[in-house]
Amino acid sequence: MTNPFMERAIELAVQNVRSGRGGPFGAVVVRDRRIVAEGTNVVTSVNDPTAHAEIVAIRAACSALKTFRLDDCEIFSTCEPCPMCLGAIYWARLQAVSFGGTAADASAAGFDDAFIYKQIAAPIAERSIPFRQIMRDETLGAFREWAQKPDRVRY
Amino acid sequence: MTNPFMERAIELAVQNVRSGRGGPFGAVVVRDRRIVAEGTNVVTSVNDPTAHAEIVAIRAACSALKTFRLDDCEIFSTCEPCPMCLGAIYWARLQAVSFGGTAADASAAGFDDAFIYKQIAAPIAERSIPFRQIMRDETLGAFREWAQKPDRVRY
């Protein structure tokens, strides 16, 4: 079954490769059956390792709609979101996700998606990047400030 | 043991709450024992659900150093990175991560970190956001374009 939003995401991904702007990924954010924002992977051309198609599209949608919540939107991405993008999708409260290729497809094309999924599931001590916890007590002071702030904006 | 980079991250987090710019989180990116970029959580003031302290600091560091790889840098964050930020840390190739509070501490303060960790580990069919795979064959065309592009910039 074809879908016009996924077709547009594919078109963006192919154009992105041909133009040399970045990797073979495209995404669109949709509300009320209309595209409100588009994104492609521009990591290498913009020097931003977070500039995956989904992140770019989510940031653009929030900017266009002047909100930090996309409760009434869904996202169409040419590839299964990597852990970074999956986290962003949850934080943005998107309503639904449609994707084309899998994390394994992305890995076969030379991207680290499957590796990072494994790293996130691994205990801290077994990760390839060293993690250490320091000064926990001192950092909790910021949380206390937050709890005591009557006009804090939750999300 | 106190650490000057974590002390700075804590200072940023506390200032961020007091100024009303966002949540109680701060991060710094360090290279050669010097801070190259700083970040705080500005999700609600900038309308960007991806604007966590670590993401803001990574983007600023890449912009300052004109690169999409931070191989020779480490990051200090007041809180254990959420899955989105952890993914960004892997994509940025950071060398090491130091953090203060845990994902459980963040959750106790009202943030969804622990919930999102569980969601990412869950099979697609069991996630709270519906995921569906469509048009995989068509999306693979973008990967084929990528594989055939001789001057592609890998990352």
Side-chain angles (χ1 to χ4, degrees):
Chain A
M1 188 185 75
T2 59
N3 173 292
F5 304 121
M6 187 61 85
E7 283 177 337
R8 176 60 183 154
I10 293 168
E11 185 178 47
L12 288 167
V14 170
Q15 285 173 355
N16 200 55
V17 174
R18 291 183 185 166
S19 69
R21 295 194 74 213
F25 305 99
V28 298
V29 173
V30 172
R31 187 171 70 159
D32 294 336
R33 305 293 297 164
R34 290 182 55 189
I35 292 175
V36 293
E38 300 180 335
T40 62
N41 178 303
V42 289
V43 168
T44 56
S45 59
V46 172
N47 280 333
D48 180 358
T50 75
H52 286 198
E54 298 94 324
I55 300 263
V56 172
I58 287 170
R59 296 181 81 224
C62 287
S63 178
L65 301 174
K66 301 190 197 320
T67 178
F68 53 86
R69 294 184 65 116
L70 300 172
D71 305 80
D72 52 358
C73 298
E74 56 184 316
I75 191 165
F76 293 77
S77 176
T78 54
C79 190
E80 184 181 355
C82 80
M84 174 178 73
C85 294
L86 188 53
I89 286 165
Y90 275 92
W91 287 117
R93 322 287 178 193
L94 280 154
Q95 199 173 77
V97 179
S98 299
F99 66 94
T102 63
D105 292 327
S107 293
F111 298 91
D112 280 348
D113 297 56
F115 170 73
I116 297 178
Y117 265 105
K118 282 184 198 147
Q119 288 289 309
I120 285 187
I124 280 179
E126 294 170 20
R127 290 188 186 145
S128 65
I129 299 178
F131 280 69
R132 63 171 179 162
Q133 186 175 24
I134 59 173
M135 296 181 68
R136 172 171 178 259
D137 288 352
E138 293 88 335
T139 61
L140 296 184
F143 286 130
R144 280 190 293 273
E145 292 262 349
W146 177 253
Q148 288 160 9
K149 188 176 173 67
D151 61 343
R152 65 190 182 275
V153 182
R154 292 182 178 84
Y155 68 86
Chain B
M1 187 186 74
T2 59
N3 173 290
F5 303 121
M6 188 60 84
E7 284 177 338
R8 176 60 182 155
I10 293 168
E11 185 177 47
L12 289 167
V14 170
Q15 285 173 355
N16 199 57
V17 175
R18 290 184 186 165
S19 69
R21 294 193 74 214
F25 305 98
V28 298
V29 173
V30 172
R31 187 171 72 159
D32 295 336
R33 303 295 296 164
R34 290 182 56 188
I35 292 175
V36 294
E38 300 180 335
T40 62
N41 177 303
V42 289
V43 168
T44 55
S45 58
V46 172
N47 280 333
D48 180 357
T50 75
H52 286 197
E54 299 94 325
I55 300 263
V56 172
I58 287 169
R59 298 180 80 224
C62 288
S63 179
L65 301 174
K66 302 188 197 316
T67 177
F68 53 86
R69 293 184 65 118
L70 300 172
D71 305 79
D72 52 357
C73 298
E74 55 184 318
I75 191 164
F76 292 76
S77 175
T78 54
C79 191
E80 183 180 355
C82 80
M84 174 178 72
C85 294
L86 188 53
I89 285 165
Y90 274 93
W91 286 118
R93 321 290 178 192
L94 280 153
Q95 201 173 76
V97 179
S98 299
F99 65 94
T102 62
D105 292 327
S107 292
F111 297 92
D112 280 347
D113 297 56
F115 169 72
I116 297 177
Y117 266 104
K118 282 183 199 149
Q119 288 289 309
I120 285 187
I124 280 179
E126 294 171 20
R127 290 188 187 146
S128 65
I129 299 178
F131 279 70
R132 62 169 180 166
Q133 186 175 23
I134 60 173
M135 295 180 68
R136 173 172 177 257
D137 288 352
E138 293 88 334
T139 62
L140 297 183
F143 286 129
R144 281 190 292 272
E145 291 262 349
W146 177 252
Q148 288 159 11
K149 188 177 172 67
D151 61 342
R152 65 189 181 277
V153 182
R154 292 184 178 83
Y155 68 86

